[in-house]
Amino acid sequence: MFTLAEVASLNDIQPTYRILKPWWDVFMDYLAVVMLMVAIFAGTMQLTKDQVVCLPVLQSTVNSKAQPGTSGKADFTTVETTTGQGEDTSMRTVSFGSAPTVTPDVPLSGATSSQYQPTESGQELKKEQKDSLGRKTNLDFQQYVFINQMCYHLALPWYSKYFPYLVLIHTIILIVSSNFWFKYPKTCSKIEHFVSILGKCFESPWTTKALSETACEDSEENKQRLTGAQSLPKYVSTSSDEGSPSASTPMITKSGFKFSADKPMIEVPSVTILDKKDGEQAKALFEKVRKFRAHVEDSDLIYKLYVGQTVIKTVKFIFILCYTANFVNTISFEHICNPKVEHLIGYTQFECTHNMAYMLKKLLISYISLICVYGFICLYTLFWLFRIPLKEYSFEKVREESSFSDIPDVKNDFAFLLHMVDQYDQLYSKRFGVFLSEVSENKLREISLNHEWTFEKLRQHVSRNAQDKQELHLFMLSGVPDAVFDLTDLDVLKLELIPEAKIPPKISQMTNLQELHLYHCPAKVEQTAFSFLRDHLRCLHVKFTDVAEIPAWVYLLKNLRELYLIGNLNSENNKMIGLESLRELRHLKILHVKSNLTKIPPNITDVAPHLTKLVIHNDGTKLVVLNSLKKMTNVAELELQNCELERIPHAIFSLSNLQELDLKSNSIRTIEEIISFQHLKRLTCLKLWHNKIVNIPSSITHIKNLESLYLSNNKLESLPAAVFSLQKLRCLDVSYNSIALIPVEVGLLQNLQHFHITGNKVDVLPKQLFKCVKLRTLSLGQNCITSIPDNVSQLVQLTHLELKGNCLDRLPATLGQCQLLRKSGLVVEDHLFDALPSEVKEVLNQDTSIPFANGI
């Protein structure tokens, strides 16, 4: 036999699951335990004391009752014995006649043997007959045991015999039905995850920090809470490693709560520091809640299973009540038994008594009462399930009471679980809602960020850039730390991959800030901060994926001088900028666009009157429409790089103020249109490098004012004499072509300072080259040169000489006469340098500080 504890274990659940047990489920669990006790008590009584006692109904007694002439006195013999279930047996025979006499208890064996065994003396026989008064049944002990067992199974109703087992089975079914949603694998995992997250949210210091604002708003409620908590001990958080908090340290001042299965205890408000560990745990909770919500809101399995098990319990209650009520009256103390074993016993009818009848009847009535209460609670549960839509949960009350008005409503299983928790304690849902709010999450990030990025740490990340400006680069943070705006001497601020960047009014302290970089960072700016940026910001870099990510306030920076846009600006999105977008940029001088344009956006003409430099770097997309360039009459520098241009655009020839043109990395094959550059009187720099140009037309001589010509990385095989007629040319770069000969006319370029012809097929250097006495840089590397003339000494201003990668056997000793040339500026193989005379090497090794001569 099993114990009550073993059966009651079916009703056990994890203690943390109790928050999902409303009062009716708890009450039904207790009722189930009581019903278990009834079943086990009845079963124990039945196994130990249940018995039936039967006596034969004598024929003479029946006949005497049936004959009217009789005196009305009936003789009745009573034999009392136990069923085979008892250990000790005894029998009492009572005879009722004209002079009824009750005999003492005499063993059955003695009574029966006296009829058949001869006595040794007549006196003993006479005494025996005197003691055995009453009706003789002629039944021995085994026959009584046999008939009692027969009648126990034939005369007793089946419900009297199996009542304890039926109660036990029904109760186990009800217990299993009540807790099946906690055990079913597909719901158990979700419930376990939910309870785990709910407990962590309840205990999280961030919940206390977030809800403290609500408590501060309602001072009256706060007073009541403090009054009620005066008798409780104070709780001071020890989660922080720091000692006394400073004024700038984020604080938590709110009543703390302990998560447990019982009702939470309210504690006295305490001052705590949300340290890094607590902050990271809170961030992880936000992510867990977000993923759990996405997972659970997709289905309503938990809700359906709970409704299903409640319906099963209700149907079970109706079934038990219907068939049990019919068997109440069948439990009786007296029963008539006709076992049909006359050939074994000699009697056809027996009258039996059931000693457990009254007890079973009382237990049955008690069980019916418990079942009725259980059933009414099931009906109430069904009423609650269908009275309101439990697959929808609104945080409207929490939104009204707290500062987090963005807490979303939830649905399906997520909503149902929150409804169940509300039946336990609504404070759980209120605290859980904090982790559904984006405002709360952003605030947590802000506090954690400021706690981690202090002023001292930010100061360590400040560096000097190439322009010798103080620069701070922040990468992949949750926001912009407040301490950034205390760096008042900062010149450049770079914010990269910070999606929740906010620029507060404190930026007005950064009086030196003139350059701002926003890389995938759609920063939000408050009005006061915008006013400061509008008046002080000079350079802005914006990197984006879609043009919609460009903050709207960018187009209103009236004092902006330089704007760099890097991102997708294809023709489909050009209209999103709008014709009026750039009109407010009245002082914009430089516009740099790195994108995938197919045409120059028309709205760029809004800044055409004052734009002096336009740079367009395409990603290889062919730029086909360039008519807008004609309106940019004041542009002095124009770069069209990687635009798949095949010819020089005609629109460029209208830019009368153009001084520098860069057409790098295109597909230009011919530059016959170069003759039209004669109208560009101010053009001084022409960059046609990284193209597919085969030859240089003689019309290049018409560009009289050209000072720099870049033709590297093309397919040139020769240099026409016309190039050397450009008397103002100071820089000529024809590196990485297929040029085999340097014309002698190179000596005509008396103003030439930089000559690059690296990576060609030159084998001889004309002496006229060394007449360009102003040369400062001469790059001759990776050619086929076999010797360097001695008159290289004429290049007295030479500071850089590249000779590496040729076929030289030696270097001329006259290199020592190049007064400004040093070893650091001489690019040559080590063995050639070592072969120089020692005095030459000594001159080249001198570490003399030479002032940098003016270049181009």
Side-chain angles (χ1 to χ4, degrees):
M1 188 64 183
F2 37 77
T3 64
L4 176 62
E6 292 173 338
V7 179
S9 63
L10 296 171
N11 202 29
D12 289 343
I13 59 171
Q14 296 185 25
T16 53
Y17 284 7
R18 293 177 183 174
I19 61 174
L20 295 176
K21 301 278 284 187
W23 69 265
W24 53 82
D25 278 351
V26 176
F27 194 18
M28 285 191 286
D29 287 344
Y30 284 115
L31 288 176
V33 172
V34 176
M35 287 187 282
L36 274 178
M37 295 176 66
V38 170
I40 294 176
F41 177 72
T44 304
M45 294 291 291
Q46 188 180 56
L47 291 175
T48 57
K49 295 185 179 181
D50 193 24
Q51 60 185 5
V52 172
V53 178
C54 299
L55 288 179
V57 179
L58 300 180
Q59 190 65 32
S60 60
T61 304
V62 177
N63 293 336
S64 65
K65 289 180 180 180
Q67 294 176 3
T70 60
S71 61
K73 296 181 180 180
D75 294 333
F76 186 79
T77 302
T78 302
V79 180
E80 185 176 301
T81 183
T82 62
T83 64
Q85 300 168 355
E87 294 180 357
D88 300 330
T89 58
S90 63
M91 181 178 66
R92 174 181 295 176
T93 303
V94 180
S95 177
F96 297 93
S98 59
T101 304
V102 179
T103 62
D105 293 343
V106 179
L108 183 60
S109 59
T112 55
S113 62
S114 63
Q115 301 179 21
Y116 301 100
Q117 297 178 359
T119 60
E120 296 181 356
S121 63
Q123 187 178 359
E124 293 179 358
L125 176 61
K126 195 172 183 179
K127 184 178 179 181
E128 181 72 21
Q129 289 176 351
K130 184 178 179 181
D131 293 338
S132 301
L133 298 178
R135 290 294 184 95
K136 302 296 182 180
T137 60
N138 297 325
L139 296 177
D140 60 10
F141 176 74
Q142 286 78 11
Q143 289 174 317
Y144 275 109
V145 172
F146 173 76
I147 199 62
N148 287 343
Q149 292 181 349
M150 287 287 293
C151 291
Y152 182 83
H153 293 287
L154 295 178
L156 284 184
W158 70 270
Y159 195 77
S160 298
K161 295 179 288 186
Y162 301 111
F163 163 72
Y165 308 105
L166 292 174
V167 174
L168 181 61
I169 293 172
H170 293 324
T171 305
I172 291 176
I173 293 176
L174 292 176
I175 290 175
V176 171
S177 299
S178 294
N179 298 300
F180 185 70
W181 69 312
F182 292 128
K183 309 292 185 180
Y184 186 59
K186 291 187 178 180
T187 57
C188 175
S189 59
K190 294 181 181 179
I191 293 174
E192 184 177 358
H193 197 187
F194 172 76
V195 172
S196 174
I197 293 176
L198 185 64
K200 292 177 181 178
C201 292
F202 198 91
E203 293 177 329
S204 174
W206 171 243
T207 313
T208 306
K209 167 68 179 176
L211 292 179
S212 63
E213 296 182 355
T214 304
C216 292
E217 292 174 359
D218 193 350
S219 59
E220 185 175 353
E221 179 184 352
N222 198 27
K223 289 180 181 179
Q224 293 177 358
R225 183 173 300 176
L226 287 172
T227 304
Q230 285 178 354
S231 60
L232 298 177
K234 290 189 177 182
Y235 171 76
V236 180
S237 174
T238 58
S239 60
S240 175
D241 295 333
E242 299 181 6
S244 58
S246 62
S248 62
T249 306
M251 312 297 290
I252 298 179
T253 55
K254 178 69 171 70
S255 300
F257 297 87
K258 299 292 184 181
F259 175 82
S260 65
D262 301 327
K263 188 173 182 63
M265 180 189 301
I266 302 178
E267 297 181 349
V268 177
S270 59
V271 179
T272 60
I273 299 176
L274 192 67
D275 61 9
K276 183 177 181 180
K277 181 180 179 181
D278 293 334
E280 293 300 324
Q281 290 177 349
K283 290 178 184 178
L285 276 178
F286 273 105
E287 187 65 24
K288 287 182 179 179
V289 170
R290 188 182 299 109
K291 292 182 178 180
F292 178 78
R293 179 188 173 191
H295 176 60
V296 177
E297 276 192 321
D298 290 340
S299 67
D300 56 353
L301 179 61
I302 298 178
Y303 171 76
K304 289 181 178 178
L305 191 60
Y306 188 84
V307 172
Q309 70 183 31
T310 305
V311 171
I312 290 175
K313 289 189 293 185
T314 306
V315 173
K316 188 72 177 176
F317 145 72
I318 297 173
F319 171 72
I320 294 173
L321 190 62
C322 289
Y323 89 88
T324 304
N326 295 329
F327 292 104
V328 175
N329 295 327
T330 62
I331 300 177
S332 175
F333 179 74
E334 296 180 357
H335 298 279
I336 300 298
C337 177
N338 299 300
K340 297 181 181 181
V341 289
E342 185 177 359
H343 60 286
L344 297 176
I345 305 299
Y347 296 93
T348 59
Q349 191 177 53
F350 294 83
E351 186 165 344
C352 306
T353 60
H354 185 203
N355 67 333
M356 287 292 297
Y358 294 117
M359 180 61 71
L360 287 179
K361 196 165 187 175
K362 292 178 181 179
L363 291 176
L364 178 58
I365 293 173
S366 301
Y367 176 66
I368 293 176
S369 302
L370 294 172
I371 281 293
C372 289
V373 176
Y374 194 97
F376 288 140
I377 296 176
C378 288
L379 293 175
Y380 174 81
T381 305
L382 287 176
F383 169 75
W384 180 79
L385 286 172
F386 297 110
R387 180 175 61 91
I388 57 176
L390 296 181
K391 293 197 291 184
E392 297 177 1
Y393 189 91
S394 175
F395 285 95
E396 183 65 30
K397 186 177 180 181
V398 180
R399 290 194 290 263
E400 292 176 357
E401 295 178 353
S402 68
S403 59
F404 306 120
S405 59
D406 66 322
I407 301 178
D409 296 336
V410 295
K411 59 183 181 179
N412 289 336
D413 282 345
F414 199 4
F416 176 69
L417 290 173
L418 290 173
H419 279 295
M420 296 295 284
V421 169
D422 280 350
Q423 297 301 316
Y424 185 84
D425 193 340
Q426 293 185 357
L427 185 59
Y428 282 91
S429 299
K430 182 177 181 181
R431 288 189 156 229
F432 193 79
V434 172
F435 288 88
L436 291 170
S437 169
E438 291 187 5
V439 174
S440 173
E441 185 174 7
N442 293 337
K443 190 171 184 180
L444 170 66
R445 291 173 179 171
E446 180 181 348
I447 292 176
S448 301
L449 186 70
N450 292 330
H451 187 68
E452 178 183 359
W453 289 87
T454 60
F455 178 83
E456 291 75 14
K457 184 176 181 179
L458 289 170
R459 173 61 69 183
Q460 294 175 0
H461 284 74
V462 176
S463 60
R464 290 275 180 180
N465 60 13
Q467 289 77 32
D468 197 33
K469 294 182 178 180
Q470 292 196 47
E471 176 182 297
L472 175 63
H473 187 187
L474 299 179
F475 178 72
M476 290 187 69
L477 298 181
S478 58
V480 182
D482 291 342
V484 168
F485 307 104
D486 295 328
L487 301 171
T488 55
D489 54 347
L490 201 64
D491 299 311
V492 181
L493 177 60
K494 292 184 178 181
L495 306 177
E496 184 171 0
L497 292 174
I498 305 179
E500 300 296 333
K502 294 182 180 179
I503 301 179
K506 284 182 65 177
I507 197 174
S508 58
Q509 301 176 167
M510 307 175 70
T511 54
N512 290 339
L513 184 65
Q514 294 188 350
E515 185 174 342
L516 179 63
H517 295 245
L518 301 176
Y519 293 162
H520 300 288
C521 180
K524 298 179 181 179
V525 178
E526 297 185 20
Q527 183 61 38
T528 306
F530 168 72
S531 300
F532 172 80
L533 293 175
R534 181 187 58 194
D535 296 335
H536 292 80
L537 198 62
R538 297 295 181 264
C539 179
L540 177 63
H541 296 247
V542 182
K543 190 174 182 179
F544 52 90
T545 303
D546 188 86
V547 68
E549 298 177 15
I550 302 177
W553 53 269
V554 169
Y555 306 113
L556 303 176
L557 301 173
K558 63 180 183 180
N559 287 328
L560 194 66
R561 300 290 192 272
E562 303 177 24
L563 176 60
Y564 296 79
L565 301 177
I566 306 173
N568 184 18
L569 281 175
N570 58 41
S571 58
E572 296 178 356
N573 292 332
N574 284 337
K575 59 183 180 181
M576 298 183 69
I577 299 178
L579 293 176
E580 70 283 1
S581 298
L582 302 179
R583 289 178 180 174
E584 296 296 327
L585 306 181
R586 302 167 186 172
H587 296 89
L588 189 66
K589 300 296 183 182
I590 299 174
L591 178 60
H592 187 291
V593 180
K594 187 175 182 180
S595 183
N596 55 348
L597 298 174
T598 57
K599 64 178 181 179
I600 296 180
N603 54 337
I604 289 182
T605 58
D606 294 341
V607 292
H610 43 80
L611 196 66
T612 59
K613 182 177 181 179
L614 175 62
V615 180
I616 296 179
H617 285 199
N618 257 12
D619 60 356
T621 304
K622 190 171 184 178
L623 189 63
V624 293
V625 180
L626 297 166
N627 294 331
S628 300
L629 289 177
K630 295 180 179 180
K631 300 179 181 179
M632 301 181 185
T633 55
N634 291 324
V635 170
E637 298 181 35
L638 176 62
E639 294 184 21
L640 302 176
Q641 296 188 16
N642 205 16
C643 296
E644 288 297 315
L645 299 176
E646 296 180 357
R647 302 181 73 91
I648 299 176
H650 290 278
I652 295 176
F653 304 137
S654 302
L655 305 178
S656 56
N657 290 315
L658 189 64
Q659 298 178 14
E660 181 177 334
L661 176 61
D662 189 350
L663 300 178
K664 181 181 178 181
S665 299
N666 284 282
S667 300
I668 300 176
R669 296 179 179 273
T670 177
I671 53 175
E672 296 296 334
E673 303 88 347
I674 204 170
I675 190 174
S676 299
F677 283 139
Q678 62 182 329
H679 303 294
L680 305 180
K681 303 297 184 182
R682 298 185 179 182
L683 185 64
T684 58
C685 180
L686 179 59
K687 298 180 179 180
L688 299 174
W689 45 2
H690 296 271
N691 280 281
K692 301 177 182 179
I693 301 173
V694 178
N695 55 60
I696 303 173
S698 58
S699 55
I700 196 172
T701 57
H702 294 89
I703 313 177
K704 300 294 185 180
N705 295 320
L706 197 62
E707 297 179 1
S708 301
L709 178 61
Y710 294 84
L711 292 168
S712 63
N713 294 91
N714 278 282
K715 297 183 178 181
L716 299 176
E717 296 182 356
S718 62
L719 290 175
V723 172
F724 305 103
S725 63
L726 301 173
Q727 295 298 319
K728 294 184 179 181
L729 200 62
R730 295 195 299 170
C731 178
L732 177 60
D733 186 356
V734 289
S735 301
Y736 301 102
N737 283 280
S738 300
I739 301 172
L741 179 65
I742 299 177
V744 295
E745 289 82 2
V746 69
L748 299 176
L749 300 177
Q750 291 299 308
N751 292 314
L752 190 64
Q753 297 181 9
H754 305 276
F755 182 41
H756 303 275
I757 196 169
T758 302
N760 283 275
K761 300 178 181 180
V762 177
D763 55 358
V764 177
L765 295 178
K767 294 181 180 181
Q768 289 78 3
L769 174 63
F770 302 102
K771 292 182 179 181
C772 303
V773 293
K774 293 184 179 181
L775 271 176
R776 298 179 60 249
T777 302
L778 180 58
S779 300
L780 302 172
Q782 302 179 35
N783 280 281
C784 302
I785 303 173
T786 57
S787 63
I788 303 296
D790 293 338
N791 52 358
V792 69
S793 59
Q794 298 177 14
L795 305 178
V796 292
Q797 296 187 19
L798 191 65
T799 60
H800 181 86
L801 176 60
E802 180 184 352
L803 298 173
K804 194 172 185 178
N806 284 284
C807 303
L808 298 174
D809 295 331
R810 64 179 182 85
L811 295 177
T814 53
L815 280 177
Q817 300 178 20
C818 298
Q819 301 175 1
L820 302 180
L821 185 63
R822 294 294 177 264
K823 183 181 178 180
S824 59
L826 179 59
V827 182
V828 68
E829 287 82 357
D830 292 339
H831 71 277
L832 294 178
F833 180 81
D834 294 338
L836 287 171
S838 57
E839 62 272 11
V840 176
K841 290 191 291 184
E842 184 178 350
V843 171
L844 294 176
N845 284 323
Q846 288 180 358
D847 187 10
T848 306
S849 178
I850 305 297
F852 191 84
N854 292 331
I856 56 174

